Amino acid sequence: MNQSQLHEKLTSRSHPVIVEFWAPWCVPCRAMAPALEQTAREFSGRVELLRINADEHPDLLRDLRIFGIPTLLVMVDGKEIYRRTGALSGGDLQAIFASALAGERPAPTLRPADRFLRGGAGMALLVLALALPSQPLLLALAGGALLFSAVYDRCPVYRAVSAWIRGRIS
Amino acid sequence: MNQWINESGIDRVLRVIIGIVLLALGWGGVVTGGWGVFLKIIGFVPLITGLVGFCPAYALLKIRTNKA
């Protein structure tokens, strides 16, 4: 299958398609497979999963500039709206399938541990900056930036601005 | 399951704590002069590498404290 054949296959679908590029020897692919199949079953009839063996279609990978597997392409109306390389958790897969159904890119998510680490470090820097007699602005700004980075994915202003920027770029 | 994260959880927490301590020593005036300036800057290194989870030095030396 080449890129135009894949495109033809995808444009004939009435619902979103998630294309997974995998290989039998790929350990992360095998690790992700049960969660991917489970998620595909949950979204069956609404989002389709198309699995392509990378070993059998090297030209297609080259045409699509796929350099690592597993890679998921989210295709809506035959157009790629999102791609992600690397093994994903069940939660991440659910988010990707749900966003494909909505026809939009998945919102970025942070793991709780990362959120906690960023928030804690941000708070510590802010407190440090405020507690010091010189109240260094750089530390306060760094602390504020870190604190925001802990919750940016939930900020409606950030989402609106980033969606606008992506709309301008694409 | 990000493969580029080469630091374990404990490694990351320790780095963040050490970074904040170094910054506190530098910016708080506990260490002054050239060393104080050095700490003010170098404190960001363990802080940022701990938050990001990726250490370039680890990558060069092919070390991974994250066994996942």
Side-chain angles (χ1 to χ4, degrees):
Chain A
M1 180 172 19
N2 60 29
Q3 192 175 3
S4 54
Q5 286 169 333
L6 176 65
H7 179 76
E8 222 177 282
K9 204 168 180 164
L10 294 172
T11 45
S12 64
R13 302 290 206 276
S14 58
H15 38 253
V17 179
I18 295 191
V19 185
E20 185 216 8
F21 292 88
W22 69 285
W25 47 261
C26 165
V27 173
C29 301
R30 293 205 302 266
M32 188 173 79
L36 182 60
E37 282 157 16
Q38 166 72 21
T39 309
R41 274 196 297 274
E42 287 171 17
F43 283 83
S44 170
R46 296 175 292 156
V47 177
E48 184 181 337
L49 175 65
L50 176 64
R51 304 189 74 204
I52 296 178
N53 187 324
D55 289 343
E56 293 169 8
H57 301 93
D59 292 344
L60 185 56
L61 264 73
R62 196 166 40 245
D63 290 344
L64 290 171
R65 296 178 180 274
I66 291 172
F67 303 114
I69 56 172
T71 289
L72 295 183
L73 298 187
V74 179
M75 313 291 287
V76 176
D77 295 330
K79 283 193 212 130
E80 178 188 328
I81 62 166
Y82 178 73
R83 69 165 58 183
R84 181 81 177 263
T85 297
L88 298 167
S89 65
D92 288 339
L93 289 168
Q94 290 272 340
I96 288 173
F97 273 70
S99 68
L101 195 56
E104 55 192 29
R105 288 172 62 97
T109 54
L110 281 176
R111 292 179 303 169
D114 282 320
R115 205 183 291 281
F116 180 75
L117 206 54
R118 292 182 189 196
M123 285 291 297
L125 283 184
L126 266 180
V127 167
L128 186 64
L130 292 172
L132 292 174
S134 55
Q135 294 195 332
L137 183 62
L138 180 63
L139 270 191
L141 285 175
L146 266 181
L147 205 50
F148 179 72
S149 75
V151 296
Y152 80 100
D153 56 326
R154 294 178 176 176
C155 175
V157 174
Y158 172 85
R159 282 192 193 175
V161 170
S162 57
W164 179 80
I165 291 172
R166 271 198 302 276
R168 298 283 289 191
I169 292 171
S170 61
Chain B
M1 297 191 205
N2 290 320
Q3 296 297 312
W4 51 267
I5 293 180
N6 56 14
E7 299 165 6
S8 66
I10 294 174
D11 189 346
R12 295 177 69 180
V13 169
L14 283 175
R15 280 169 184 256
V16 168
I17 292 171
I18 288 169
I20 291 173
V21 167
L22 291 178
L23 288 171
L25 290 174
W27 290 93
V30 175
V31 179
T32 56
W35 282 109
V37 174
F38 177 73
L39 287 180
K40 282 180 184 178
I41 298 166
I42 209 72
F44 283 106
V45 172
L47 179 67
I48 291 169
T49 57
L51 289 170
V52 169
F54 174 76
C55 177
Y58 276 7
L60 283 170
L61 297 169
K62 298 204 187 325
I63 297 171
R64 291 183 71 89
T65 54
N66 177 17
K67 300 300 178 195

